[in-house]
Amino acid sequence: MFGKILIANRGEIAVRIIRACREMGIATVAVYSEADEESLHTQLADEAICIGPGPSAQSYLNMEQIISATMVSGADAIHPGFGFLSENSKFAKLCEDCGITFIGPDSDVISRLGNKQEARNTMISAGIPVIPGTKEPVMDAERGKELADNIGYPVMVKAALGGGGKGMRVVYTKEDFKREFDNAQREAVNGFADGTMYIEKYIEKPRHIEFQILADKYGNTIHLGERDCSIQRNHQKLVEESPSPALNDELRKRMGDTAVAVAKAVNYENAGTVEFLLDKNDNYYFMEVNTRIQVEHGITELVTGVDLIKEQIKIAAGESLGIKQ
């Protein structure tokens, strides 16, 4: 087990990780920007190191500073929490190269699943149900319109490297396609510095169902049930409910088994969330995998009694999963 963990985050999630580490007898190192010197996470951790000025780009997103803080403190591992560098494959690779354990999946898996087009193609190859759509990246509106015409309207235009509802537009008619594609692509470039897009059939009035998964280094993979996050505003989740009122036992088992199959298709390790869209006829489709702990992880903990942060740490330390499906 690790002797000391550095937490590359701030606020609520940093406090949450410190609590889990304390209960496991693991020392903690907090990092903070100059603006957060008096924050709660810096006071609760065993050590605290300043990593730069207030702006996140100069502190919590500064990979070199975080790696330096880890080495200076003598920490064995880094827990990235959520947001910031938690799904950054470059940062995970930097940890690997420096001999520091990144508490999460490896850099290759993060990279493969972070590109939604590549993730989609991987799942198609694995026989996972996906929403009908493009298999190749789409870079311009003219080509995109040809593909959308073949898929059939309405369609959803999405940024391949997108997230958080950014770089997404629903297009209901071919007359609107170019305008909406250009708007989505512009937003993708501004938000993710990448204009690669893809197009898929738009599922009207779906439910958004996500399954929490855990997977160790030895091929043991389980799911911990679902969270229904269908109540959203601007593609941002507002309410999470577990168990979902939309699932019966048979559908829950099928979707849970599929979530496990998704993880196994990429040799996933650690905690993650497999997201599906469920239509009115109980057909479900793979959307994406979040390769980190999520803000809403506490809901699954309340339902199952499993401490997901502790499980993340145990898996990263090389322990086998102690929970059966």
Side-chain angles (χ1 to χ4, degrees), residues 93-106:
K93 183 67 165 64
L94 191 58
C95 291
E96 293 163 9
D97 292 344
C98 293
I100 299 166
T101 300
F102 178 84
I103 299 178
D106 66 41

Side-chain angles (χ1 to χ4, degrees), residues 13-287:
I13 188 58
V15 172
R16 171 72 183 86
I17 296 165
I18 290 168
R19 187 185 80 200
C21 288
R22 182 171 293 172
E23 291 174 0
M24 296 175 75
I26 300 169
T28 54
V29 183
V31 294
Y32 63 92
S33 71
E34 292 171 0
D36 289 331
E37 185 173 0
E38 301 299 323
S39 293
L40 182 60
H41 76 290
T42 69
Q43 299 174 49
L44 292 178
D46 297 296
E47 303 172 45
I49 298 175
C50 183
I51 53 171
S56 297
Q58 300 174 48
S59 52
Y60 300 105
L61 292 172
N62 189 323
M63 301 182 199
E64 290 75 17
Q65 284 286 79
I66 292 172
I67 293 294
S68 295
T70 307
M71 292 181 166
V72 167
S73 68
D76 313 298
I78 293 176
H79 196 308
F82 48 64
F84 291 133
L85 297 171
S86 61
E87 293 183 286
N88 189 305
S89 59
K90 181 180 176 183
F91 181 63
K93 183 67 165 64
L94 191 58
C95 291
E96 293 163 9
D97 292 344
C98 293
I100 299 166
T101 300
F102 178 84
I103 299 178
D106 66 41
S107 58
D108 179 62
V109 170
I110 295 174
S111 179
R112 289 175 65 192
L113 292 173
N115 184 316
K116 295 184 180 181
Q117 183 68 65
E118 184 176 349
R120 174 187 170 85
N121 291 344
T122 298
M123 297 309 151
I124 291 172
S125 299
I128 305 297
V130 302
I131 300 169
T134 56
K135 294 184 178 180
E136 301 298 327
V138 182
M139 300 304 298
D140 64 85
E142 185 176 342
R143 175 59 178 156
K145 183 177 179 303
E146 292 177 11
L147 296 167
D149 289 347
N150 289 331
I151 293 170
Y153 295 91
V155 298
M156 176 79 85
V157 176
K158 289 186 176 182
L161 297 181
K166 295 180 180 179
M168 293 172 56
R169 290 292 188 280
V170 180
V171 185
Y172 289 95
T173 67
K174 60 183 179 182
E175 290 77 18
D176 295 335
F177 185 86
K178 185 178 188 310
R179 181 184 72 248
E180 298 297 344
F181 182 94
D182 289 344
N183 287 339
Q185 189 173 51
R186 190 179 305 113
E187 195 172 85
V189 171
N190 291 337
F192 313 108
D194 188 288
T196 307
M197 312 299 289
Y198 70 102
I199 302 164
E200 63 184 25
K201 182 70 176 174
Y202 177 59
I203 307 299
E204 299 188 75
K205 296 182 179 179
R207 293 191 82 103
H208 190 154
I209 310 289
E210 56 188 26
F211 274 76
Q212 178 71 55
I213 58 167
L214 288 174
D216 65 19
K217 298 176 183 294
Y218 312 104
N220 302 307
T221 306
I222 65 167
H223 72 81
L224 291 164
E226 80 280 2
R227 300 184 291 259
D228 190 322
C229 45
S230 303
I231 299 175
Q232 302 184 10
R233 179 176 181 272
N234 296 331
H235 304 294
Q236 296 287 337
K237 302 166 188 175
L238 295 179
V239 175
E240 298 261 349
E241 183 177 3
S242 182
S244 169
L247 305 191
N248 56 35
D249 289 345
E250 187 272 333
L251 182 56
R252 178 173 291 111
K253 184 180 188 310
R254 281 198 290 126
M255 293 183 73
D257 289 346
T258 302
V260 169
V262 166
K264 288 182 174 292
V266 292
N267 296 317
Y268 195 92
E269 293 177 13
N270 217 268
T273 301
V274 182
E275 303 202 3
F276 298 102
L277 281 184
L278 177 70
D279 70 18
K280 60 185 179 182
N281 298 314
D282 287 346
N283 299 306
Y284 60 89
Y285 306 95
F286 168 83
M287 283 180 61

